[in-house]
Amino acid sequence: MVLNCLEVEVAGLKFKNPVLLAAGILGITAESLVRVAEAGAGGLVTKSIGLKPRRGYPNPTVVQVNCGLINAMGLPNPGIKAFSEEIREVKKRTEIPLIVSVYGYSAEEFAETAKQAIEAGADAVELNVSCPHVEKTGGEIGQNPELLKEVVGKVKDRISKPLLVKLSPNVSDIAHLAEVAVKAGADAITAINTVRAMKIDVRTGHPILANKTGGLSGPAIKPIAVRCIYEIYERVKVPIFGCGGISNWRDAIEFILAGASAVQVGTAVAVKGLEVFRAITKGMEAYVKRRGFKSVEEIVGLSHSL
Ligand code: RRO
């Protein structure tokens, strides 16, 4: 039997490889999620879904800058009732783990949405407590230890599947917030969401995004993400899903050396296309074998012990 050196088990979820689709890209219909699965992703994270449908912000919602994208989509989503149909469809057509990203305006909304996602067939839930530009949710919850504890605790009581908590880099001590999330019941941490940013049109003087500010993603934020993962790894025992600017296998390996057990890719999928999944996993597999390791799991956090 040939062993797959990229197979990992993270927070009780089995992945054929540790390269997942990140929340926010191609994650709102079953059709696009199935295409990502067929392109070789090890797992899927959906667009963030709330209790009720939400239109999101007016255009423009995305602008390209050097080394990345700035977005202020404003959480557009069909609401968990309609999205449950998409979850069922994905689970019928793919075998890989489906993680539903969830947001809410209160602990109760987070918990109810998470419960409905699991009832529809989600394998796990990722709490979005880190969206940088929507009031009364996202970062406003994840940056407040008391609120974070309440939200994570309430969701944990309501579901019995793995609970991931996605944190924001827009804080002074991300590792402290990871500790708070883990004490409240998080089974894994996802780091990082986007970095607060903006772009102004020098001809007109106007901010380009309708919301004025947004979240920066892509290669520009990769070193920030690596630092965050390194710090979180030193402070909590639960596994970390690394996210933020990964666009090739070297980036993915760097995140794993910093302490990530698996990675999520978003902006590179939007910029380079679905081929990134096979390109990254191929490069990772070659690296693991070339270095004489049996499994990618052997290099998780390796940079901490060198
Ligand atoms: O929808 C968005 O505008 C958005 C979300 Br929910 C998020 O978590 N991060 C981001 O950069 N944009």
PDB file of all heavy atoms in Angstrom, residues 253-281:
ATOM      1  N   ILE A 253       4.269  25.324   3.056  1.00  0.00           N
ATOM      2  CA  ILE A 253       5.245  24.677   3.943  1.00  0.00           C
ATOM      3  C   ILE A 253       5.687  25.649   5.039  1.00  0.00           C
ATOM      4  O   ILE A 253       5.819  25.277   6.212  1.00  0.00           O
ATOM      5  CB  ILE A 253       6.477  24.183   3.133  1.00  0.00           C
ATOM      6  CG1 ILE A 253       6.067  23.036   2.183  1.00  0.00           C
ATOM      7  CG2 ILE A 253       7.631  23.767   4.058  1.00  0.00           C
ATOM      8  CD1 ILE A 253       5.770  21.697   2.833  1.00  0.00           C
ATOM      9  N   GLU A 254       5.880  26.912   4.691  1.00  0.00           N
ATOM     10  CA  GLU A 254       6.279  27.916   5.693  1.00  0.00           C
ATOM     11  C   GLU A 254       5.237  28.005   6.814  1.00  0.00           C
ATOM     12  O   GLU A 254       5.575  28.056   8.007  1.00  0.00           O
ATOM     13  CB  GLU A 254       6.443  29.271   4.991  1.00  0.00           C
ATOM     14  CG  GLU A 254       7.041  30.344   5.883  1.00  0.00           C
ATOM     15  CD  GLU A 254       7.207  31.688   5.148  1.00  0.00           C
ATOM     16  OE1 GLU A 254       7.073  31.735   3.906  1.00  0.00           O
ATOM     17  OE2 GLU A 254       7.454  32.685   5.847  1.00  0.00           O
ATOM     18  N   PHE A 255       3.955  28.004   6.451  1.00  0.00           N
ATOM     19  CA  PHE A 255       2.877  28.059   7.456  1.00  0.00           C
ATOM     20  C   PHE A 255       2.928  26.827   8.357  1.00  0.00           C
ATOM     21  O   PHE A 255       2.698  26.913   9.557  1.00  0.00           O
ATOM     22  CB  PHE A 255       1.506  28.121   6.762  1.00  0.00           C
ATOM     23  CG  PHE A 255       1.065  29.513   6.382  1.00  0.00           C
ATOM     24  CD1 PHE A 255       1.860  30.322   5.593  1.00  0.00           C
ATOM     25  CD2 PHE A 255      -0.157  30.012   6.808  1.00  0.00           C
ATOM     26  CE1 PHE A 255       1.445  31.606   5.229  1.00  0.00           C
ATOM     27  CE2 PHE A 255      -0.577  31.288   6.455  1.00  0.00           C
ATOM     28  CZ  PHE A 255       0.221  32.085   5.665  1.00  0.00           C
ATOM     29  N   ILE A 256       3.214  25.672   7.759  1.00  0.00           N
ATOM     30  CA  ILE A 256       3.220  24.433   8.544  1.00  0.00           C
ATOM     31  C   ILE A 256       4.424  24.420   9.488  1.00  0.00           C
ATOM     32  O   ILE A 256       4.304  24.064  10.660  1.00  0.00           O
ATOM     33  CB  ILE A 256       3.131  23.224   7.599  1.00  0.00           C
ATOM     34  CG1 ILE A 256       1.690  23.198   7.042  1.00  0.00           C
ATOM     35  CG2 ILE A 256       3.468  21.912   8.306  1.00  0.00           C
ATOM     36  CD1 ILE A 256       1.408  22.192   5.995  1.00  0.00           C
ATOM     37  N   LEU A 257       5.556  24.888   9.015  1.00  0.00           N
ATOM     38  CA  LEU A 257       6.736  24.988   9.899  1.00  0.00           C
ATOM     39  C   LEU A 257       6.453  25.949  11.063  1.00  0.00           C
ATOM     40  O   LEU A 257       6.926  25.756  12.179  1.00  0.00           O
ATOM     41  CB  LEU A 257       7.956  25.474   9.106  1.00  0.00           C
ATOM     42  CG  LEU A 257       8.493  24.507   8.050  1.00  0.00           C
ATOM     43  CD1 LEU A 257       9.544  25.192   7.173  1.00  0.00           C
ATOM     44  CD2 LEU A 257       9.087  23.251   8.695  1.00  0.00           C
ATOM     45  N   ALA A 258       5.654  26.987  10.798  1.00  0.00           N
ATOM     46  CA  ALA A 258       5.314  27.963  11.852  1.00  0.00           C
ATOM     47  C   ALA A 258       4.340  27.388  12.869  1.00  0.00           C
ATOM     48  O   ALA A 258       4.208  27.915  13.973  1.00  0.00           O
ATOM     49  CB  ALA A 258       4.721  29.220  11.230  1.00  0.00           C
ATOM     50  N   GLY A 259       3.615  26.296  12.488  1.00  0.00           N
ATOM     51  CA  GLY A 259       2.710  25.674  13.449  1.00  0.00           C
ATOM     52  C   GLY A 259       1.330  25.322  12.927  1.00  0.00           C
ATOM     53  O   GLY A 259       0.500  24.815  13.682  1.00  0.00           O
ATOM     54  N   ALA A 260       1.060  25.589  11.654  1.00  0.00           N
ATOM     55  CA  ALA A 260      -0.260  25.232  11.114  1.00  0.00           C
ATOM     56  C   ALA A 260      -0.317  23.734  10.811  1.00  0.00           C
ATOM     57  O   ALA A 260       0.635  23.174  10.260  1.00  0.00           O
ATOM     58  CB  ALA A 260      -0.538  26.023   9.837  1.00  0.00           C
ATOM     59  N   SER A 261      -1.429  23.095  11.154  1.00  0.00           N
ATOM     60  CA  SER A 261      -1.610  21.673  10.827  1.00  0.00           C
ATOM     61  C   SER A 261      -2.198  21.494   9.441  1.00  0.00           C
ATOM     62  O   SER A 261      -2.128  20.417   8.848  1.00  0.00           O
ATOM     63  CB  SER A 261      -2.541  21.007  11.840  1.00  0.00           C
ATOM     64  OG  SER A 261      -1.927  20.980  13.104  1.00  0.00           O
ATOM     65  N   ALA A 262      -2.848  22.544   8.954  1.00  0.00           N
ATOM     66  CA  ALA A 262      -3.405  22.563   7.595  1.00  0.00           C
ATOM     67  C   ALA A 262      -3.474  24.017   7.182  1.00  0.00           C
ATOM     68  O   ALA A 262      -3.326  24.911   8.025  1.00  0.00           O
ATOM     69  CB  ALA A 262      -4.792  21.927   7.581  1.00  0.00           C
ATOM     70  N   VAL A 263      -3.697  24.256   5.882  1.00  0.00           N
ATOM     71  CA  VAL A 263      -3.762  25.646   5.416  1.00  0.00           C
ATOM     72  C   VAL A 263      -5.031  25.866   4.601  1.00  0.00           C
ATOM     73  O   VAL A 263      -5.656  24.909   4.133  1.00  0.00           O
ATOM     74  CB  VAL A 263      -2.516  26.040   4.573  1.00  0.00           C
ATOM     75  CG1 VAL A 263      -1.249  25.957   5.406  1.00  0.00           C
ATOM     76  CG2 VAL A 263      -2.408  25.191   3.305  1.00  0.00           C
ATOM     77  N   GLN A 264      -5.392  27.120   4.456  1.00  0.00           N
ATOM     78  CA  GLN A 264      -6.549  27.494   3.641  1.00  0.00           C
ATOM     79  C   GLN A 264      -6.094  28.515   2.602  1.00  0.00           C
ATOM     80  O   GLN A 264      -5.329  29.421   2.928  1.00  0.00           O
ATOM     81  CB  GLN A 264      -7.642  28.102   4.517  1.00  0.00           C
ATOM     82  CG  GLN A 264      -8.137  27.169   5.626  1.00  0.00           C
ATOM     83  CD  GLN A 264      -9.176  27.841   6.525  1.00  0.00           C
ATOM     84  OE1 GLN A 264      -9.458  29.034   6.389  1.00  0.00           O
ATOM     85  NE2 GLN A 264      -9.744  27.078   7.434  1.00  0.00           N
ATOM     86  N   VAL A 265      -6.588  28.350   1.377  1.00  0.00           N
ATOM     87  CA  VAL A 265      -6.172  29.229   0.277  1.00  0.00           C
ATOM     88  C   VAL A 265      -7.404  29.946  -0.270  1.00  0.00           C
ATOM     89  O   VAL A 265      -8.408  29.304  -0.581  1.00  0.00           O
ATOM     90  CB  VAL A 265      -5.501  28.401  -0.842  1.00  0.00           C
ATOM     91  CG1 VAL A 265      -4.993  29.320  -1.952  1.00  0.00           C
ATOM     92  CG2 VAL A 265      -4.354  27.572  -0.294  1.00  0.00           C
ATOM     93  N   GLY A 266      -7.323  31.278  -0.367  1.00  0.00           N
ATOM     94  CA  GLY A 266      -8.461  32.043  -0.860  1.00  0.00           C
ATOM     95  C   GLY A 266      -8.091  32.914  -2.046  1.00  0.00           C
ATOM     96  O   GLY A 266      -8.421  32.607  -3.191  1.00  0.00           O
ATOM     97  N   THR A 267      -7.370  33.990  -1.776  1.00  0.00           N
ATOM     98  CA  THR A 267      -7.071  34.974  -2.831  1.00  0.00           C
ATOM     99  C   THR A 267      -6.348  34.344  -4.019  1.00  0.00           C
ATOM    100  O   THR A 267      -6.630  34.688  -5.173  1.00  0.00           O
ATOM    101  CB  THR A 267      -6.248  36.136  -2.224  1.00  0.00           C
ATOM    102  OG1 THR A 267      -7.072  36.755  -1.234  1.00  0.00           O
ATOM    103  CG2 THR A 267      -5.871  37.168  -3.268  1.00  0.00           C
ATOM    104  N   ALA A 268      -5.445  33.405  -3.777  1.00  0.00           N
ATOM    105  CA  ALA A 268      -4.711  32.780  -4.892  1.00  0.00           C
ATOM    106  C   ALA A 268      -5.660  32.014  -5.811  1.00  0.00           C
ATOM    107  O   ALA A 268      -5.412  31.912  -7.019  1.00  0.00           O
ATOM    108  CB  ALA A 268      -3.615  31.848  -4.366  1.00  0.00           C
ATOM    109  N   VAL A 269      -6.745  31.500  -5.254  1.00  0.00           N
ATOM    110  CA  VAL A 269      -7.736  30.809  -6.089  1.00  0.00           C
ATOM    111  C   VAL A 269      -8.414  31.834  -6.999  1.00  0.00           C
ATOM    112  O   VAL A 269      -8.618  31.595  -8.196  1.00  0.00           O
ATOM    113  CB  VAL A 269      -8.793  30.087  -5.211  1.00  0.00           C
ATOM    114  CG1 VAL A 269      -9.829  29.401  -6.085  1.00  0.00           C
ATOM    115  CG2 VAL A 269      -8.133  29.093  -4.267  1.00  0.00           C
ATOM    116  N   ALA A 270      -8.729  33.009  -6.416  1.00  0.00           N
ATOM    117  CA  ALA A 270      -9.378  34.060  -7.210  1.00  0.00           C
ATOM    118  C   ALA A 270      -8.438  34.602  -8.285  1.00  0.00           C
ATOM    119  O   ALA A 270      -8.858  34.906  -9.391  1.00  0.00           O
ATOM    120  CB  ALA A 270      -9.827  35.196  -6.282  1.00  0.00           C
ATOM    121  N   VAL A 271      -7.157  34.711  -7.964  1.00  0.00           N
ATOM    122  CA  VAL A 271      -6.202  35.350  -8.884  1.00  0.00           C
ATOM    123  C   VAL A 271      -5.635  34.349  -9.904  1.00  0.00           C
ATOM    124  O   VAL A 271      -5.511  34.666 -11.078  1.00  0.00           O
ATOM    125  CB  VAL A 271      -5.061  36.016  -8.061  1.00  0.00           C
ATOM    126  CG1 VAL A 271      -3.965  36.535  -8.973  1.00  0.00           C
ATOM    127  CG2 VAL A 271      -5.614  37.163  -7.215  1.00  0.00           C
ATOM    128  N   LYS A 272      -5.310  33.138  -9.429  1.00  0.00           N
ATOM    129  CA  LYS A 272      -4.624  32.178 -10.306  1.00  0.00           C
ATOM    130  C   LYS A 272      -5.518  31.062 -10.846  1.00  0.00           C
ATOM    131  O   LYS A 272      -5.120  30.331 -11.746  1.00  0.00           O
ATOM    132  CB  LYS A 272      -3.480  31.503  -9.545  1.00  0.00           C
ATOM    133  CG  LYS A 272      -2.337  32.407  -9.134  1.00  0.00           C
ATOM    134  CD  LYS A 272      -1.342  31.577  -8.360  1.00  0.00           C
ATOM    135  CE  LYS A 272       0.041  32.150  -8.335  1.00  0.00           C
ATOM    136  NZ  LYS A 272       1.001  31.231  -7.687  1.00  0.00           N
ATOM    137  N   GLY A 273      -6.668  30.871 -10.220  1.00  0.00           N
ATOM    138  CA  GLY A 273      -7.559  29.795 -10.672  1.00  0.00           C
ATOM    139  C   GLY A 273      -7.424  28.540  -9.833  1.00  0.00           C
ATOM    140  O   GLY A 273      -6.567  28.432  -8.944  1.00  0.00           O
ATOM    141  N   LEU A 274      -8.287  27.563 -10.161  1.00  0.00           N
ATOM    142  CA  LEU A 274      -8.389  26.348  -9.345  1.00  0.00           C
ATOM    143  C   LEU A 274      -7.161  25.442  -9.426  1.00  0.00           C
ATOM    144  O   LEU A 274      -6.994  24.545  -8.600  1.00  0.00           O
ATOM    145  CB  LEU A 274      -9.639  25.561  -9.762  1.00  0.00           C
ATOM    146  CG  LEU A 274     -10.967  26.184  -9.321  1.00  0.00           C
ATOM    147  CD1 LEU A 274     -12.137  25.489  -9.994  1.00  0.00           C
ATOM    148  CD2 LEU A 274     -11.092  26.094  -7.805  1.00  0.00           C
ATOM    149  N   GLU A 275      -6.285  25.695 -10.418  1.00  0.00           N
ATOM    150  CA  GLU A 275      -5.081  24.854 -10.551  1.00  0.00           C
ATOM    151  C   GLU A 275      -4.183  24.972  -9.325  1.00  0.00           C
ATOM    152  O   GLU A 275      -3.323  24.125  -9.100  1.00  0.00           O
ATOM    153  CB  GLU A 275      -4.235  25.253 -11.780  1.00  0.00           C
ATOM    154  CG  GLU A 275      -4.967  25.279 -13.092  1.00  0.00           C
ATOM    155  CD  GLU A 275      -5.827  26.529 -13.243  1.00  0.00           C
ATOM    156  OE1 GLU A 275      -5.292  27.641 -13.212  1.00  0.00           O
ATOM    157  OE2 GLU A 275      -7.055  26.368 -13.366  1.00  0.00           O
ATOM    158  N   VAL A 276      -4.339  26.033  -8.546  1.00  0.00           N
ATOM    159  CA  VAL A 276      -3.430  26.223  -7.396  1.00  0.00           C
ATOM    160  C   VAL A 276      -3.456  25.030  -6.448  1.00  0.00           C
ATOM    161  O   VAL A 276      -2.433  24.702  -5.845  1.00  0.00           O
ATOM    162  CB  VAL A 276      -3.689  27.508  -6.567  1.00  0.00           C
ATOM    163  CG1 VAL A 276      -3.281  28.746  -7.314  1.00  0.00           C
ATOM    164  CG2 VAL A 276      -5.105  27.590  -6.065  1.00  0.00           C
ATOM    165  N   PHE A 277      -4.617  24.375  -6.314  1.00  0.00           N
ATOM    166  CA  PHE A 277      -4.680  23.272  -5.342  1.00  0.00           C
ATOM    167  C   PHE A 277      -3.710  22.149  -5.717  1.00  0.00           C
ATOM    168  O   PHE A 277      -2.933  21.695  -4.880  1.00  0.00           O
ATOM    169  CB  PHE A 277      -6.115  22.749  -5.199  1.00  0.00           C
ATOM    170  CG  PHE A 277      -6.991  23.722  -4.470  1.00  0.00           C
ATOM    171  CD1 PHE A 277      -7.907  24.509  -5.139  1.00  0.00           C
ATOM    172  CD2 PHE A 277      -6.862  23.883  -3.095  1.00  0.00           C
ATOM    173  CE1 PHE A 277      -8.688  25.432  -4.469  1.00  0.00           C
ATOM    174  CE2 PHE A 277      -7.638  24.805  -2.404  1.00  0.00           C
ATOM    175  CZ  PHE A 277      -8.554  25.575  -3.098  1.00  0.00           C
ATOM    176  N   ARG A 278      -3.754  21.718  -6.993  1.00  0.00           N
ATOM    177  CA  ARG A 278      -2.857  20.611  -7.386  1.00  0.00           C
ATOM    178  C   ARG A 278      -1.410  21.081  -7.378  1.00  0.00           C
ATOM    179  O   ARG A 278      -0.509  20.330  -6.992  1.00  0.00           O
ATOM    180  CB  ARG A 278      -3.252  20.032  -8.745  1.00  0.00           C
ATOM    181  CG  ARG A 278      -4.599  19.317  -8.684  1.00  0.00           C
ATOM    182  CD  ARG A 278      -4.651  17.973  -9.432  1.00  0.00           C
ATOM    183  NE  ARG A 278      -5.826  17.235  -8.972  1.00  0.00           N
ATOM    184  CZ  ARG A 278      -7.080  17.441  -9.402  1.00  0.00           C
ATOM    185  NH1 ARG A 278      -7.339  18.339 -10.328  1.00  0.00           N
ATOM    186  NH2 ARG A 278      -8.073  16.738  -8.904  1.00  0.00           N
ATOM    187  N   ALA A 279      -1.166  22.331  -7.785  1.00  0.00           N
ATOM    188  CA  ALA A 279       0.219  22.835  -7.795  1.00  0.00           C
ATOM    189  C   ALA A 279       0.795  22.844  -6.370  1.00  0.00           C
ATOM    190  O   ALA A 279       1.940  22.425  -6.144  1.00  0.00           O
ATOM    191  CB  ALA A 279       0.263  24.239  -8.401  1.00  0.00           C
ATOM    192  N   ILE A 280      -0.001  23.291  -5.414  1.00  0.00           N
ATOM    193  CA  ILE A 280       0.491  23.375  -4.027  1.00  0.00           C
ATOM    194  C   ILE A 280       0.693  21.973  -3.446  1.00  0.00           C
ATOM    195  O   ILE A 280       1.737  21.675  -2.846  1.00  0.00           O
ATOM    196  CB  ILE A 280      -0.474  24.208  -3.141  1.00  0.00           C
ATOM    197  CG1 ILE A 280      -0.480  25.675  -3.593  1.00  0.00           C
ATOM    198  CG2 ILE A 280      -0.066  24.112  -1.665  1.00  0.00           C
ATOM    199  CD1 ILE A 280      -1.508  26.558  -2.894  1.00  0.00           C
ATOM    200  N   THR A 281      -0.285  21.083  -3.630  1.00  0.00           N
ATOM    201  CA  THR A 281      -0.141  19.753  -3.020  1.00  0.00           C
ATOM    202  C   THR A 281       1.004  18.965  -3.664  1.00  0.00           C
ATOM    203  O   THR A 281       1.732  18.258  -2.979  1.00  0.00           O
ATOM    204  CB  THR A 281      -1.461  18.945  -3.085  1.00  0.00           C
ATOM    205  OG1 THR A 281      -1.951  18.967  -4.420  1.00  0.00           O
ATOM    206  CG2 THR A 281      -2.506  19.510  -2.161  1.00  0.00           C
TER     207      THR A 281
END
